[in-house]
Amino acid sequence: MDKNALRNLPKVDDVMNREAFRKLALSTSFDLVLIEVQRGIQNERKRILSGEPPVADMVTVLYREVEKAVSRTMAYGLRPVINATGIIIHTNLGRSVLVEEAGRALERVNGRYSNLEFDLSTGKRGLRYTHVEEILMRLTGAEGALVVNNNAAAVMLMLSTVADGREVVVSRGELVEIGGSFRVPEVMKISGGTLVEVGTTNKTHLKDYAGGIGPGTGAILKVHTSNYRVMGFTKSVPVEDLIALGRERDIPVIEDLGSGTLLDLTPYGLSKEPTVLEQVAKGVDLISFSGDKLLGGPQAGIIVGKKKYIDQVKSNQLLRALRVDKMTIAALEATLRAYLDPEGAKKRVPTLRMITMSPDEIKLKAEAVCRGITLKERVAVVEDVSQIGGGTYPLDTLPTWVLQITPFKGAQGFADGLRNLEVPIIARIKEEKVHLDCRTIFEEELEAVIQGINSVMED
Ligand SMILES: *Cc1c(COP(=O)(O)O)cnc(C)c1O
């Protein structure tokens, strides 16, 4: 062991007083820099004690290490990425991209106090839900509305309100599991209801529902089979018939619509999905849907329906635990306002914009990226398909154009390279080639995509 080397170890105070370290501490955090300096010197001491030769130019090496460690700590965990997967409602990538107005709405209420739960006309306590209730009523035709944390919470709350301690009749064909941890039977258990399964996986008739109803029945539940389809020899009961049955027996019919859409998207090549407006018009008593799936808003669960039942939901004690923050309300209000002009919404709400974007428009973006690539022989613009995602439209795809890259090394290595960029680009691999679907890449991101591809190719 080199005694001299130990004695020559830099002192923490001296290091912290050096210009470079002082600057780093000022621009980041004094405490963080101090901890890393102490750690670095400590490590060096251990190395020397174990007989290793001292590091030459210790302070320079230390600075590099400290800077790296501090910037790692200071870096945001949650940060933007470029979605080149073509999956529009990508749950892992944050689902919906919000309308521009949502950003402004958030800014308006976040740095200041707001009338979140304050009725400006009376000066008394108000309800946070009122800020979006009226617009939801207008857009869906419902008698009342409220918003909770997400659709899973909305379903739980509806069930807990109408079915606590009672039975809920559900078709065996609709015992859905949604990605992650949402399973109808489990949600039912948490809500205090008892599941009464009727029919079979592929066929459920009205008489099955009728047979499942007894004196303890609290509700009939219809669940949208969002992420799968039962095909072939099948039968499910139209919600109109369930409503007629419910009326006859004086039992509310509630529907988990899953994604829920306010607009008919069949003109854009997607299959027919019932809109929220249609389901309300049919007379479903309570309907829930997601805020961040096809609606294109913030994470939220929206409940609309008959006033009688909405009032019951509003006085459910569970609501307190599922309530939304002002940020959700601000962003949701901005999203819903875009729908006051449905044609405009198709351009302004990013989710809708990406769904309704024509293949020609996407091709232009792909070609623009292609032009910027240095190694042109490695890229091509080819046809492919995009998915809607978010567990919606499991069978539908949209024709698209992708930038197809044939990397020198493996496709996985190239995709990893893109993912490790400062602004990560998430691509998909198809037949040993890397595909970047330009449907989900925004105009403003094209330049970063070009630079990203070029830099990974040069590596
Ligand atoms: C997506 C979905 C849910 C869960 O909605 P979140 O908003 O993700 O909580 C529940 N039910 C159905 C049918 C769904 O499609």
Side-chain angles (χ1 to χ4, degrees):
M1 192 210 15
D2 187 343
K3 284 242 167 73
N4 251 345
L6 272 187
R7 214 167 302 124
N8 287 342
L9 270 173
K11 305 266 173 302
V12 173
D13 286 350
D14 294 346
V15 172
M16 290 301 288
N17 271 327
R18 285 182 177 243
E19 168 99 20
F21 287 83
R22 277 222 311 267
K23 268 194 182 148
L24 183 63
L26 266 178
S27 65
T28 58
S29 145
F30 181 88
D31 291 31
L32 277 183
V33 173
L34 179 63
I35 288 168
E36 293 305 330
V37 167
Q38 285 165 335
R39 195 202 310 273
I41 295 174
Q42 194 60 31
N43 286 345
E44 177 65 0
R45 179 188 310 279
K46 276 191 209 142
R47 285 189 55 252
I48 294 167
L49 284 172
S50 72
E52 288 180 56
V55 166
D57 209 357
M58 171 65 187
V59 177
T60 311
V61 173
L62 182 62
Y63 181 78
R64 260 203 310 271
E65 280 172 6
V66 169
E67 198 201 13
K68 216 192 287 167
V70 169
S71 61
R72 222 179 7 243
T73 311
M74 296 290 288
Y76 274 91
L78 181 62
R79 55 207 180 106
V81 305
I82 294 174
N83 176 8
T85 66
I87 300 169
I88 299 170
I89 308 170
H90 199 305
T91 300
N92 301 151
L93 303 184
R95 276 207 186 151
S96 284
V97 175
L98 297 181
V99 283
E100 233 183 291
E101 291 85 343
R104 283 196 287 276
L106 283 168
E107 229 170 81
R108 253 199 315 274
V109 298
N110 269 355
R112 315 182 56 172
Y113 292 105
S114 63
N115 61 336
L116 181 64
E117 286 194 345
F118 186 72
D119 186 334
L120 290 172
S121 59
T122 62
K124 297 214 169 73
R125 184 177 178 173
L127 277 177
R128 59 183 63 211
Y129 309 102
T130 49
H131 305 295
V132 286
E133 181 164 26
E134 205 165 298
I135 193 166
L136 278 168
M137 286 159 61
R138 179 189 292 268
L139 293 172
T140 65
E143 293 171 7
L146 83 162
V147 178
V148 290
N149 181 56
N150 57 12
N151 187 34
V155 175
M156 213 167 93
L157 185 62
M158 291 195 301
L159 287 172
S160 140
T161 305
V162 298
D164 192 12
R166 315 199 62 177
E167 291 172 353
V168 180
V169 183
V170 191
S171 159
R172 286 202 172 85
E174 296 175 2
L175 295 176
V176 177
E177 170 174 328
I178 308 292
S181 56
F182 179 90
R183 285 176 157 185
V184 169
E186 260 104 277
V187 173
M188 188 75 73
K189 224 180 278 164
I190 297 170
S191 331
T194 308
L195 185 65
V196 176
E197 301 174 20
V198 297
T200 60
T201 304
N202 60 330
K203 281 201 170 199
T204 304
H205 304 271
L206 187 60
K207 62 174 191 292
D208 295 325
Y209 280 98
I213 295 175
T217 305
I220 299 173
L221 171 68
K222 187 147 182 72
V223 185
H224 192 276
T225 58
S226 302
N227 49 5
Y228 69 99
R229 291 285 176 272
V230 182
M231 287 191 292
F233 188 61
T234 64
K235 162 123 182 80
S236 65
V237 180
V239 80
E240 293 92 322
D241 295 353
L242 293 183
I243 292 162
L245 178 65
R247 296 282 179 279
E248 199 186 297
R249 308 282 187 95
D250 198 22
I251 291 166
V253 175
I254 61 186
E255 183 170 25
D256 169 9
L257 207 48
S259 172
T261 171
L262 294 180
L263 304 179
D264 177 18
L265 297 170
T266 50
Y268 305 95
L270 293 175
S271 22
K272 176 68 188 140
E273 285 284 348
T275 65
V276 180
L277 197 78
E278 284 164 3
Q279 297 312 84
V280 169
K282 285 173 193 164
V284 183
D285 295 295
L286 282 176
I287 298 169
S288 78
F289 58 100
S290 280
D292 56 354
K293 288 187 183 172
L294 285 170
L295 185 74
Q299 178 191 303
I302 299 167
I303 305 178
V304 298
K306 298 273 164 63
K307 184 169 186 322
K308 172 182 161 189
Y309 294 107
I310 292 288
D311 286 346
Q312 288 176 19
V313 175
K314 280 180 185 163
S315 53
N316 187 327
Q317 288 298 308
L318 194 56
L319 178 59
R320 180 65 171 75
L322 307 173
R323 80 177 187 190
V324 283
D325 179 56
K326 60 176 176 284
M327 290 193 270
T328 303
I329 291 176
L332 183 62
E333 188 179 12
T335 308
L336 294 170
R337 285 165 70 101
Y339 279 89
L340 292 174
D341 166 21
E343 284 313 306
K346 290 174 191 168
K347 299 196 181 68
R348 277 159 50 212
V349 178
T351 303
L352 294 179
R353 166 121 183 76
M354 287 184 270
I355 290 174
T356 60
M357 192 176 281
S358 74
D360 285 347
E361 223 178 316
I362 299 166
K363 192 177 185 189
L364 284 178
K365 287 198 279 184
E367 286 168 348
V369 175
C370 203
R371 275 195 299 279
I373 305 302
T374 341
L375 293 170
K376 291 218 166 28
E377 67 279 11
R378 294 266 144 198
V379 295
V381 174
V382 302
E383 283 180 89
D384 199 351
V385 291
S386 318
Q387 284 171 276
I388 310 296
T392 66
Y393 296 102
L395 305 179
D396 292 8
T397 55
L398 297 170
T400 192
W401 291 91
V402 302
L403 194 75
Q404 183 193 55
I405 303 172
T406 313
F408 293 113
K409 297 171 265 175
Q412 189 59 56
F414 196 86
D416 292 347
L418 291 177
R419 205 184 54 249
N420 288 318
L421 290 167
E422 188 158 321
V423 178
I425 301 173
I426 316 299
R428 61 170 190 253
I429 295 172
K430 194 172 169 182
E431 289 150 10
E432 266 313 296
K433 293 183 191 324
V434 178
H435 278 198
L436 284 89
D437 189 335
C438 290
R439 182 186 294 278
T440 48
I441 302 175
F442 298 106
E443 284 298 331
E444 319 72 275
E445 295 171 335
L446 293 179
E447 195 48 48
V449 170
I450 292 170
Q451 284 177 18
I453 294 172
N454 282 338
S455 76
V456 177
M457 261 186 192
E458 280 158 19
D459 263 1

